[in-house]
Amino acid sequence: MQTNLAEWIKDTPEGIEADAILRKCVHCGFCLATCPTYQLTGDELDSPRGRIYLMKEMLEGNDVTAKTQHHLDRCLTCRACETTCPSGVQYGRLVDIGREVIEKKVPRGLGDQLKRSLLKNTLPHTALFSIGLGIGRAVKGLLPDGIGKYVTSRRDEGVWPQPVHARKMLVLAGCVQPAMAPSINCATARVLDKLGISLIGADKAGCCGAIAHHLNDAHDAHAYVKRNIDAWWPAIERGAEAIVVTASGCGTMVAEYGHLLRNDPVYAVKAARVSALYRDVSQVIAQERTQLSAVLKSKADIYPVDAEVTRQKVAFQSPCSLQHGLKIRGVVEGLLRDAGFDLTMVPDGHLCCGSAGTYSLLQPEMSAQLLANKVNALESGSPDIIATANIGCMAHIESGLNASSRTPILHWVELLDRRLA
Amino acid sequence: MDAIVSSISERIRDAAAAKTPLSIHGGNSKAFYGGAIVGEPLDMRPYSGIIEYEPKELVLTVRAGTTLVEIESVMDRASQMLPFEPPHFADGSTIGGTVAAGLSGPRRPYTGAVRDFVLGTRILSGKGDDLRFGGRVIKNVAGYDVSRLMTGAMGTLGVLLDLSFKVLPKPVAELTLRFEFEEAMAIRQFNEWAGKPLPISATSWFQGVAMLRLSGAAAGVKAARQKLGGELVADEAGPLFWRSVRDQRAAFFQSTAPLLRLSVPPTTMPLALMTPHWIEWGGAVRWLSGAADLSMLREKIASVGGHVTLFRHGDKADGVFNPLQPVLAKIHRELKTAFDPENILNRGRMDNF
Amino acid sequence: MHAPLLADFQRITPTLKVIADTERLKPFETDAFISHRALPLCAVLPESEAQVVEILKACNARGVPLVTRGAGTGISGGAIPLENGVLAVLSRMKQILAVDPAARTARVQPGVANAAVTKAAAPFGLFYAPDPSSQIVCSIGGNVAENAGGVHCLKYGLTVHNVLRIRVVALNGDILEIGSAALDAPGYDLLALMHGSEGLLGLITEVTVKLTPEPEYIETLLAAFPSVTDAANAVNSIIGAGVIPAALEMMDKMVINACEKFMSAGFPLDAEALLLIELDGAPEEVAEYLATVEAILRASHAQEIRRACDDTEREKLWKSRKGAFAALATICPDYYTMDGTIPRRCLPEVLARYAQLGAEFGMMIANVFHAGDGNLHPVIFYDAAKPGEMARSEELGGKLLEICIEVGGTITGEHGVGIEKLKQMCVQFRESELAMFHVIKAVFDPEGLLNPGRAVPELKRCSEWGGMHVRGGEIPRADMPRF
């Protein structure tokens, strides 16, 4: 697409990046096909191509109002469009830039501001969130639907193995996940332990920064990023092989650290190193596949891999952050099959469940429609268990599952952990 | 040939000036079909011959007065065919008449109708203008598709001069199977088969006997035959049967009673008709032989989404073709005027608007 | 702005989505032919046929022109709005109304995506055959308006061969039912006339399509050649041998590289030309064709022949082919795609002349096209930032199309004329023929308010452009077979 960016942004790093991305777009419209919001509304303005055009107009210096903001807000940032785009347009980066710009140009209403600020200031803080969640669980039945539905059931986390192996990897603690499902990282630690790797945490590390980032608060986001880098650095210097992330949503953020701080004189190099060390838990385990097979084989007498009786049907929900953001496709599915699970067909697997970070809280209507569609799709193959790879999706989908026939939903690594127990 | 075109053009201009109708004809094999003939005959047979035929191109261009027999004998040598299997109602049937009448044979539901294979036309309008539409290539979306509009227009929109077709290789293997089916069973079975990837090229049912033709690569036909069962019809009898259906030589069609053509959705169940009937095109065409209250029948068939043509014999005053929705009839009248302002070309041969 | 019309829209159908502010209209100012754009008075996004009727009646009463679009994926600019007109966007009319597996039909609203029809038919072992490259998103209404083709039309036909019935709203609000659920309908073949009419005759509000049984077995072959001519010869030999492949696609080196870079389908990078060949049918039948085709490919100097070993590999090959145009954007973001069709035997000659013209103009031309249909898609690269480059690319494009006419072909096989090829229409058709098109339009749209100025050039414009045919009313080479 031909572009003519406005003077005020043209020569800034953001302007240069945005221009390069816009130039790649040929307006072919393929992205409309896999955009969850366009699928719902059929309105170009709720499509990636429409939003790209809205942003182009803004960056070219044309008047911009809450109308543009409305459509940018309605984007899930699921990045399914990037998977579909044959021209390699990095929509996710562009919308980050666009949102940052519009945040400065278009003031939000008081209610909107309050809501966003509340989310930004509670979710990332595990302790604060835990208190809220604890109270919530205790009185779940008394809570109104809108809030009560996100109060998930807590699973026993079990024991974190001692860090006895020479091979060590760091794990992102996260913010919401330790409060809602501490069992996930614990399960990861046990699985990796069986593969000869010790998973270690780092005090003072916490939220990856994605929540602030997606609420267009670059300042806060950078603060979280720097805090994590500082917290991890000693372990990295001691030779930690990787930084493992079990929530793919957070993973996309850690993968971007290098890019986000590329112009920071102090942190640029460290951030790039962190991003280079980043691995999704599926990548780490897939790399140890030989070892995994051996361990699985040793369990074969208890869990005969090919015996019909023990085969559980699993519907795997591949989070957008995993398949579109990190572009990891088919890896988890392969590991689950290795471990003797049957995967059911999930129609429209490329479409977002509507969780999308804070989206479910900020755009409840759209989110609810996407959730209903996703639940139908996941349950269409009558699975015994639903597995996912991201805490946000897990909580969101659990809230949408039919109470009577509730299919349990777990992180896939928890399934693997059970199989190896 | 240019001289022939000039002279036809001249005749059209004169006729337009004098407002005297012209009746375009080739072999006159379909004179029975459509509204009553009025006007001075305009014989297209002198304008004949193949203009271009390169088998590798899968495209044939011929003059309207060329007989089907001539075309098919040339195509035979290249092992190709007109895929819509045009009926030869008489030996002299021409390609121009075939396109004007828009009639296709038994292969139609499986391979396509004459309109599906028309790529381009050169016509003389009712003003005598020499106009070309479409082309000699398989894909062409430049301009409105006037070539296909000419197909089945009964010569009322223009005198057809040159015609280009997409053609196809002749199937290497062909065989016919016979089944004893009641009517409802035949209709169900034809539709079920049509929903499967089988090399079916024709279907027919009459008085408890269903016939099915398979065409294609030898291996494919053989495999399909295994799946379908039925009784194999002897080598020569098969083609003879299909030719008699295509050309309406069977006794059923040769009766002097009115022959009605009911075009219906293929899944339409038996219509509880008292008169003898013959089913073709996988259930999509039901032929009726005998007297019938045409307007009542039309109402009934319209209710299932079809239409009725008084194909042969009978009283044309009842309307040969199904009457059109008023808004469509208006468009038809205006299109006719656009191409033939003085209404001289085959006046009244299309009688439903 | 057109206040009275906006008031009409709001009054008549209070639930109608109307967009009338510049900020939100901007994304509607162009389709996939982005070198041209125009901001309409307003955009309306109807959700029902009843709303379409009211929109048309209002436009008719106020004498305001109207352009219709679906997903906006057209690449001839046919859906670019008019500054003094309304843009009707039918993308919200996207319900699949019925699938009838027994009769092998589906009845859908115009905004339904092409691929969504196949998806709905798949559980019954059926599919909707026409498959333009943009099939994941382009809508059925637009497919009818453009008579869309695709990679499988050599065997399965174009849209016109796969549609049984449509509902059309005329400018005055009349609803026309064209075609029928039977195999034919009484009267003139208006169904064919509506196909490819580019929105000039009416608005399509419902389409009943024919569904085809999925082939039992599919074999996809990739053949690499040391020269474009070898590949072109192989194409002719395959069809000459009586094999009708389900698809027969060709791409040259530049396209191979671009596709490989972004979609990594495993295309051999040392080839000058690639053929993608798909054979389908009963397994025994396909095996028979496969032997014939492989022998021809070898005899035509194919340097490599590869068979897709499973569905995943096959899908990957097709995804790369269908994403080829957008992938070319990675070479150079500004390009211009042509769509001429030629007699297949002229492929080597025409491709050589294209290359020569490209060199004369100093512009790169890439070729990716439907070889089996002789439908060429040369892509001309230019730099929009350089003054005059776009105009030069259009000039070169025009010359490429004129070559197609010269060898007996046509200026557009499947993309439509839109606003892009109006000039070449003056070359392909004589004044009397163009005049006939205008008369046909007037039958359906006497006021000339539906997509005016598209698809068929005004006669006076042809004279202004100095089109060949208006000189003395006769073409320079009268003997030239043009149709």
Side-chain angles (χ1 to χ4, degrees):
Chain A
M1 218 155 37
Q2 215 181 335
T3 52
N4 187 13
L5 261 51
E7 288 301 327
W8 51 263
I9 187 136
K10 206 170 156 185
D11 299 319
T12 63
E14 290 74 26
I16 292 164
E17 190 181 6
D19 191 51
I21 297 171
L22 285 169
R23 290 276 294 151
K24 271 192 174 177
C25 173
V26 295
H27 215 251
C28 69
F30 279 33
C31 53
L32 277 64
T34 52
C35 174
T37 54
Y38 180 78
Q39 292 304 308
L40 291 182
T41 69
D43 183 346
E44 178 86 14
L45 300 173
D46 288 318
S47 78
R49 183 175 65 174
R51 293 184 182 110
I52 287 173
Y53 220 91
L54 289 169
M55 288 188 275
K56 174 179 101 86
E57 290 298 313
M58 173 176 75
L59 299 174
E60 287 186 340
N62 295 300
D63 289 343
V64 62
T65 70
K67 288 170 179 163
T68 294
Q69 189 166 49
H70 173 70
H71 291 291
L72 294 188
D73 282 351
R74 270 153 71 120
C75 167
L76 296 140
T77 332
C78 70
R79 294 163 68 188
C81 50
E82 287 189 25
T83 300
T84 310
C85 178
S87 306
V89 173
Q90 290 169 293
Y91 172 87
R93 282 298 307 145
L94 184 66
V95 82
D96 279 353
I97 296 169
R99 281 172 169 160
E100 229 179 289
V101 170
I102 204 162
E103 212 56 35
K104 289 178 201 138
K105 291 204 167 268
V106 180
R108 289 186 183 274
L110 203 61
D112 204 10
Q113 268 185 47
L114 210 67
K115 200 160 31 166
R116 285 167 171 265
S117 151
L118 194 69
L119 289 173
K120 205 162 62 189
N121 293 316
T122 49
L123 292 182
H125 303 285
T126 312
L128 214 56
F129 182 73
S130 296
I131 295 166
L133 188 67
I135 298 168
R137 276 203 186 107
V139 297
K140 188 172 177 183
L142 307 172
L143 289 173
D145 233 28
I147 308 166
K149 65 180 188 177
Y150 286 114
V151 181
T152 58
S153 45
R154 194 188 158 110
R155 287 182 290 277
D156 185 17
E157 56 188 281
V159 183
W160 192 297
Q162 288 301 310
V164 292
H165 301 292
R167 294 184 66 187
K168 288 195 172 50
M169 291 183 184
L170 276 161
V171 65
L172 172 78
C175 48
V176 173
Q177 185 171 307
M180 279 176 117
S183 48
I184 298 173
N185 277 0
C186 223
T188 306
R190 284 190 295 268
V191 171
L192 291 188
D193 182 62
K194 295 205 168 61
L195 302 175
I197 299 164
S198 288
L199 197 64
I200 53 171
D203 291 343
K204 294 193 185 122
C207 174
C208 64
I211 291 171
H213 184 65
H214 288 139
L215 292 170
N216 314 324
D217 188 336
H219 179 265
D220 269 22
H222 289 188
Y224 284 112
V225 173
K226 289 174 184 173
R227 192 188 63 177
N228 282 346
I229 294 174
D230 288 339
W232 291 330
W233 202 250
I236 291 171
E237 290 200 309
R238 282 196 302 272
E241 278 180 52
I243 297 163
V244 181
V245 180
T246 54
S248 56
C250 307
T252 53
M253 182 71 185
V254 180
E256 288 276 294
Y257 279 11
H259 185 85
L260 289 172
L261 296 185
R262 70 194 182 287
N263 298 318
D264 188 300
V266 182
Y267 280 89
V269 177
K270 285 183 177 177
R273 174 113 177 91
V274 164
S275 287
L277 286 174
Y278 155 75
R279 295 284 181 282
D280 182 73
V281 57
S282 62
Q283 294 171 305
V284 174
I285 297 176
Q287 209 162 21
E288 311 296 329
R289 213 158 176 170
T290 336
Q291 176 68 16
L292 178 69
S293 301
V295 181
L296 280 168
K297 211 169 260 170
S298 74
K299 298 276 169 191
D301 49 332
I302 315 166
Y303 294 108
V305 170
D306 48 5
E308 281 301 316
V309 275
T310 59
R311 288 184 93 89
Q312 277 180 307
K313 287 206 289 181
V314 176
F316 179 61
Q317 184 262 346
S318 179
C320 300
S321 42
L322 188 74
Q323 57 170 326
H324 306 304
L326 298 167
K327 315 215 182 300
I328 298 174
R329 295 175 205 129
V331 177
V332 174
E333 292 89 330
L335 292 172
L336 287 175
R337 281 196 196 96
D338 283 359
F341 294 100
D342 273 342
L343 294 187
T344 63
M345 267 289 291
V346 181
D348 291 325
H350 61 282
L351 289 183
C352 179
C353 66
S355 168
T358 52
Y359 191 92
S360 55
L361 303 166
L362 293 169
Q363 301 284 341
E365 268 178 46
M366 284 262 190
S367 172
Q369 286 183 58
L370 291 169
L371 176 60
N373 294 347
K374 180 57 75 182
V375 166
N376 282 338
L378 285 168
E379 296 206 316
S380 66
S382 316
D384 301 313
I385 302 169
I386 297 170
T388 179
N390 188 41
I391 181 71
C393 308
M394 183 191 282
H396 187 61
I397 292 170
E398 187 167 5
S399 77
L401 288 168
N402 189 337
S404 58
S405 68
R406 182 168 279 202
T407 318
I409 180 164
L410 295 169
H411 192 290
W412 66 271
V413 83
E414 294 179 278
L415 284 181
L416 192 59
D417 174 46
R418 287 183 190 182
R419 183 118 305 177
L420 297 177
Chain B
M1 287 299 156
D2 287 350
I4 298 177
V5 173
S6 311
S7 80
I8 299 173
S9 177
E10 196 79 2
R11 270 197 75 186
I12 295 172
R13 278 180 227 277
D14 292 346
K19 301 189 197 302
T20 50
L22 292 173
S23 164
I24 313 156
H25 72 88
N28 255 325
S29 65
K30 288 173 282 292
F32 66 85
Y33 183 63
I37 294 171
V38 291
E40 293 169 28
L42 171 58
D43 188 353
M44 293 303 292
R45 282 174 298 188
Y47 190 70
S48 89
I50 291 173
I51 298 171
E52 187 178 57
Y53 176 43
E54 183 137 3
K56 272 192 185 183
E57 228 29 79
L58 300 180
V59 174
L60 165 80
T61 302
V62 288
R63 297 194 183 90
T66 320
T67 62
L68 293 177
V69 171
E70 183 186 343
I71 293 169
E72 285 170 351
S73 78
V74 170
M75 295 186 75
D76 233 18
R77 289 199 284 275
S79 297
Q80 292 191 338
M81 62 176 185
L82 291 169
F84 46 92
E85 207 174 1
H88 296 222
F89 289 137
D91 286 346
S93 291
T94 61
I95 190 73
T98 299
V99 170
L103 297 178
S104 310
R107 209 179 292 274
R108 189 270 174 254
Y110 309 100
T111 314
V114 51
R115 61 87 93 160
D116 292 320
F117 292 92
V118 169
L119 299 175
T121 52
R122 176 184 173 196
I123 64 162
L124 291 172
S125 74
K127 292 190 275 189
D129 288 346
D130 185 347
L131 307 171
R132 296 164 200 243
F133 300 101
R136 290 183 190 182
V137 285
I138 288 165
K139 277 162 126 181
N140 184 1
V141 292
Y144 299 124
D145 197 343
V146 177
S147 305
R148 288 196 172 89
L149 186 66
M150 291 295 143
T151 312
M154 299 296 291
T156 59
L157 297 178
V159 175
L160 301 177
L161 290 177
D162 303 344
L163 299 156
S164 285
F165 299 92
K166 178 185 174 184
V167 301
L168 287 177
K170 265 195 167 171
V172 177
E174 204 152 81
L175 60 83
T176 300
L177 300 173
R178 184 182 182 278
F179 301 82
E180 293 199 358
F181 284 153
E182 279 318 302
E183 186 179 2
M185 173 67 175
I187 294 169
R188 241 195 314 272
Q189 199 63 72
F190 287 162
N191 279 287
E192 203 184 302
W193 284 333
K196 297 207 161 73
L198 293 164
I200 298 174
S201 69
T203 41
S204 155
W205 177 89
F206 183 59
Q207 290 182 338
V209 176
M211 302 286 267
L212 175 89
R213 186 175 64 190
L214 299 172
S215 312
V221 168
K222 197 175 154 203
R225 177 187 170 3
Q226 305 295 333
K227 273 180 224 159
L228 292 169
E231 180 192 333
L232 185 65
V233 174
D235 276 356
E236 311 82 55
L240 267 176
F241 172 77
W242 294 112
R243 216 169 303 142
S244 80
V245 174
R246 184 194 74 181
D247 301 343
Q248 301 193 334
R249 299 283 161 85
F252 170 86
F253 294 107
Q254 292 291 313
S255 151
T256 52
L259 179 66
L260 298 169
R261 180 181 183 273
L262 278 55
S263 178
V264 293
T267 45
T268 309
M269 276 294 119
L271 292 157
L273 304 160
M274 290 302 129
T275 38
H277 50 285
W278 189 305
I279 299 176
E280 254 203 285
W281 291 12
V285 163
R286 321 272 164 104
W287 296 98
L288 242 67
S289 176
D293 180 334
L294 208 49
S295 61
M296 255 176 68
L297 185 64
R298 283 192 165 134
E299 211 167 292
K300 179 174 176 170
I301 297 304
S303 72
V304 300
H307 63 99
V308 180
T309 307
L310 177 59
F311 199 80
R312 269 182 211 261
H313 311 302
D315 186 359
K316 290 190 195 253
D318 293 342
V320 170
F321 298 106
N322 218 85
L324 297 168
Q325 208 190 336
V327 282
L328 285 180
K330 179 169 171 281
I331 287 172
H332 277 66
R333 283 192 296 274
E334 291 178 12
L335 279 173
K336 169 71 175 162
T337 308
F339 281 90
D340 178 18
E342 303 300 339
N343 189 17
I344 52 163
L345 301 178
N346 278 5
R347 184 184 289 175
R349 286 302 291 278
M350 224 166 179
D351 64 352
N352 54 348
F353 58 85
Chain C
M1 280 296 183
H2 194 298
L5 187 69
L6 284 181
D8 285 348
F9 287 159
Q10 265 138 21
R11 190 181 59 247
I12 302 166
T13 54
T15 55
L16 177 67
K17 189 163 187 173
V18 181
I19 298 171
D21 56 280
T22 306
E23 185 178 350
R24 289 186 303 161
L25 272 180
K26 273 283 183 177
F28 293 96
E29 69 179 357
T30 185
D31 54 12
F33 186 62
I34 38 170
S35 51
H36 293 67
R37 57 186 83 102
L39 207 62
L41 294 175
C42 67
V44 285
L45 286 76
E47 283 185 287
S48 67
E49 185 180 82
Q51 288 186 341
V52 171
V53 169
E54 297 303 336
I55 291 164
L56 282 167
K57 282 184 178 166
C59 286
N60 195 22
R62 305 251 174 223
V64 177
L66 177 124
V67 173
T68 314
R69 66 168 251 185
T73 56
I75 49 180
S76 56
I80 292 175
L82 292 164
E83 275 173 8
N84 59 342
V86 170
L87 180 72
V89 186
L90 301 194
S91 55
R92 282 156 71 87
M93 293 178 67
K94 55 185 178 111
Q95 282 183 55
I96 294 180
L97 302 168
V99 177
D100 183 344
R104 288 115 30 227
T105 61
R107 197 160 54 86
V108 303
Q109 288 191 317
V112 170
N114 172 300
V117 181
T118 286
K119 195 173 156 194
F124 310 104
L126 301 168
F127 74 110
Y128 175 61
D131 61 342
S133 292
S134 54
Q135 72 181 123
I136 57 168
V137 57
C138 64
S139 60
I140 290 291
N143 285 182
V144 174
E146 301 290 320
N147 191 12
V151 301
H152 288 93
C153 40
L154 181 61
K155 181 163 179 179
Y156 294 102
L158 310 162
T159 304
V160 70
H161 301 111
N162 289 281
V163 169
L164 293 168
R165 180 175 166 270
I166 54 176
R167 279 171 76 90
V168 174
V169 183
L171 181 65
N172 62 7
D174 280 347
I175 295 170
L176 315 177
E177 288 201 26
I178 297 176
S180 83
L183 289 181
D184 43 35
Y188 295 143
D189 198 339
L190 301 184
L191 191 59
L193 191 64
M194 293 304 301
H195 276 82
S197 61
E198 303 198 22
L200 271 73
L201 305 182
L203 265 77
I204 297 156
T205 50
E206 193 182 296
V207 183
T208 303
V209 302
K210 183 177 115 183
L211 301 172
T212 305
E214 279 168 7
E216 211 177 333
Y217 184 73
I218 302 173
E219 190 77 70
T220 304
L221 286 175
L222 179 152
F225 292 88
S227 79
V228 171
T229 309
D230 284 330
N233 288 335
V235 168
N236 283 318
S237 305
I238 290 169
I239 292 167
V243 179
I244 306 291
L248 186 41
E249 299 284 304
M250 185 160 154
M251 49 184 94
D252 70 8
K253 195 178 185 93
M254 207 182 290
V255 181
I256 300 169
N257 287 337
C259 285
E260 202 42 38
K261 196 165 155 201
F262 272 83
M263 292 171 287
S264 25
F267 290 164
L269 292 173
D270 56 342
E272 285 297 321
L274 272 191
L275 288 183
L276 262 179
I277 306 159
E278 194 154 283
L279 302 166
D280 66 10
E284 302 82 357
E285 191 183 1
V286 175
E288 209 174 299
Y289 291 144
L290 185 66
T292 313
V293 169
E294 282 188 329
I296 291 172
L297 293 174
R298 272 190 295 273
S300 310
H301 315 117
Q303 63 198 59
E304 187 185 341
I305 302 169
R306 204 188 294 163
R307 282 161 66 179
C309 55
D310 54 25
D311 284 355
T312 320
E313 196 176 337
R314 190 167 71 86
E315 274 160 27
K316 207 164 152 186
L317 288 175
W318 283 118
K319 197 178 166 212
S320 293
R321 164 58 187 91
K322 290 187 177 182
F325 286 101
L328 285 170
T330 58
I331 297 181
C332 170
D334 306 310
Y335 64 74
Y336 187 44
T337 308
M338 315 306 299
D339 175 42
T341 304
I342 57 165
R344 221 179 295 103
R345 64 175 177 278
C346 305
L347 273 176
E349 174 206 334
V350 169
L351 290 175
R353 287 178 67 185
Y354 278 9
Q356 194 191 334
L357 264 177
E360 280 170 26
F361 272 72
M363 296 180 118
M364 281 198 300
I365 300 178
N367 287 290
V368 48
F369 60 95
H370 313 302
D373 309 324
N375 186 190
L376 303 173
H377 290 320
V379 177
I380 304 167
F381 297 96
Y382 65 96
D383 186 348
K386 281 192 199 155
E389 276 261 301
M390 196 179 99
R392 264 165 52 77
S393 77
E394 285 182 359
E395 190 193 337
L396 174 58
K399 285 195 187 305
L400 300 186
L401 290 185
E402 281 158 29
I403 292 177
C404 295
I405 302 176
E406 194 188 312
V407 299
T410 177
I411 56 169
T412 176
E414 58 181 5
H415 294 172
V417 173
I419 56 174
E420 182 203 10
K421 305 178 196 79
L422 286 170
K423 277 188 191 176
Q424 284 73 35
M425 282 292 281
C426 304
V427 182
Q428 181 157 341
F429 292 99
R430 288 177 290 191
E431 195 176 327
S432 52
E433 291 149 358
L434 294 172
M436 189 51 83
F437 291 148
H438 286 294
V439 178
I440 292 171
K441 172 157 175 67
V443 168
F444 289 84
D445 171 21
E447 308 299 324
L449 294 178
L450 297 177
N451 221 358
R454 313 295 166 79
V456 182
E458 291 170 49
L459 298 179
K460 64 171 197 283
R461 298 297 300 275
C462 286
S463 334
E464 283 164 24
W465 290 325
M468 270 204 273
H469 287 154
V470 289
R471 276 177 305 219
E474 208 35 84
I475 50 169
R477 283 175 55 196
D479 57 323
M480 189 173 79
R482 289 183 308 114
F483 79 91

